[in-house]
Amino acid sequence: MNPARLFQVPETTKPKPPFDIDNYLNPFIPQNPLRFFPSWISYWFGYRAPRSSAQKPSPVHRSSFLHTLSLYLSVMVGAFCGVAIIENVFLALPRLSGHSAPIVIASFGAAAILEYNTIESPLAQPRNLVVGHFLSAVVAVGITKLFEHLPPDRFEDLRWLAGALAVGVASMVMSFTKTVHPPAGATALLAATNVEIQVLGWWLVPLVLLAAMLMLASALVLNNISGRRFPVYWWTPVDLKALREERKQEKKKTLPPDVEKGISSRDGGGGGDDDDDGRRTRKESEAISDTDTEAESNEDLRKIETGATVVSDSVSISRGSRVPHPMTRSSSSPHATKKDGRDKDEDNKIIIAPRTIVVPDWLELNDWEDEVLRILMDRLRTGVSE
């Protein structure tokens, strides 16, 4: 054994990045349209127009105590209004919809703390608030419905399992979709363990969506009216425009030089005479290539013509009919060796020409393979005729 091998550090491969669903969703997400709205409208949706260094306002010196006190008062008013709005709407729902509803879903008390105290946290952004609660409600109601198929006594004994399973699965789904919202875990737990919430069944899902939208609407108004910015982003903090440009550059780097040059010339345009010359050159090269291809095919046919049955060039091919077969069988075997100056590679091959197909005698083709060869011959003949 080579002693030096004992001290060699094994090569480490670059670890693959973890799965990120945004890599698949962000290309389809449009850029923030709020930049097209007047500032007095976009302001209430958390959009702030970028400013240059010369336009940045000078900092306002405030008393730290008064500033902190005003901030805490705005947080208190926001949480109060957010929960109060949900409670009053839920109280009116039985008269409006005919469905029973609790005065409030307790998990939105925790959501109010996030939406007014930690407005810069990713957990408090609209995507996490709305989608997190929605997915958790769907998961929890579905799991609870499965447990309800058990006998009532057995279900009561296993209610703890339904609650734990609902929270665990909801946590996994929120992590997978990047919509983690801690109060949504409480929504999932309540749907399985609280009888008042459990009896709602699937009616809980629209209730949760309604409560999340009401909480979001109140947070937009009350947070921005106090001078703070909410939300920081609606879907992702990533600059989607810069992301698309970066991906375009990466694609260009992976393209061959001639393809990249063609894309650049197409995007940049060009003079009329040069374009005409280029088109003529391409057409001439394509014509020469087609002629060379047909000549090579005819040469190959002549090489293995011995023992073959010649089929007339005038045979027409119909894809719907399997006869006649414009196919020639060459007398060769799969184990043929060098004979008469020919290698076995020359005998053991399929040749497709515009009007003839040559197949070794030993090769049996099924219907699907035969049809593929005939379609390819048909396409070759069509290309040559054009």
Side-chain angles (χ1 to χ4, degrees), residues 4 64 69 93 125 130 164 194 256 285 364:
S64 59
L69 180 61
L93 277 178
Q125 304 312 308
V130 178
N194 187 281
S285 62
E364 296 295 334

Side-chain angles (χ1 to χ4, degrees), residues 58-188:
S58 57
V60 179
H61 299 283
R62 303 178 183 176
S63 170
S64 59
F65 174 76
L66 293 178
H67 175 65
T68 304
L69 180 61
S70 64
L71 176 63
Y72 291 167
L73 286 175
S74 66
V75 167
M76 181 193 72
V77 173
F80 168 80
C81 293
V83 175
I85 291 172
I86 295 175
E87 289 175 336
N88 282 275
V89 171
F90 275 29
L91 287 174
L93 277 178
R95 297 192 300 271
L96 298 176
S97 63
H99 290 81
S100 61
I103 186 174
V104 72
I105 300 173
S107 57
F108 283 91
I113 303 301
L114 273 180
E115 299 306 310
Y116 294 98
N117 289 68
T118 59
I119 61 175
E120 295 180 354
S121 170
L123 306 178
Q125 304 312 308
R127 175 183 178 182
N128 299 67
L129 169 65
V130 178
V131 183
H133 274 290
F134 170 74
L135 294 177
S136 296
V138 171
V139 167
V141 174
I143 290 176
T144 305
K145 288 292 183 182
L146 291 177
F147 274 83
E148 286 178 353
H149 288 286
L150 297 172
D153 294 339
R154 186 61 176 165
F155 172 65
E156 290 299 329
D157 293 338
L158 294 177
R159 187 182 289 273
W160 65 270
L161 179 60
L165 187 61
V167 174
V169 176
S171 175
M172 180 190 69
V173 172
M174 287 190 291
S175 299
F176 183 81
T177 56
K178 298 187 71 172
T179 57
V180 175
H181 189 66
T187 299

Side-chain angles (χ1 to χ4, degrees), residues 5 33 138 155 192 197 207 240 299 338:
R5 290 182 177 273
V138 171
F155 172 65
I197 303 298
L207 279 181
L240 296 177
E299 181 66 23
K338 189 171 183 180

Side-chain angles (χ1 to χ4, degrees), residues 190-237:
L190 290 170
T193 59
N194 187 281
V195 178
E196 185 182 10
I197 303 298
Q198 177 202 341
V199 296
L200 296 175
W202 291 109
W203 173 238
L204 175 66
V205 177
L207 279 181
V208 165
L209 270 179
L210 175 62
M213 297 303 295
L214 291 173
M215 181 67 69
L216 176 61
S218 64
L220 288 174
V221 174
L222 297 173
N223 282 325
N224 286 293
I225 203 173
S226 63
R228 300 190 294 170
R229 179 188 176 186
F230 178 82
V232 179
Y233 59 86
W234 282 85
W235 179 261
T236 177

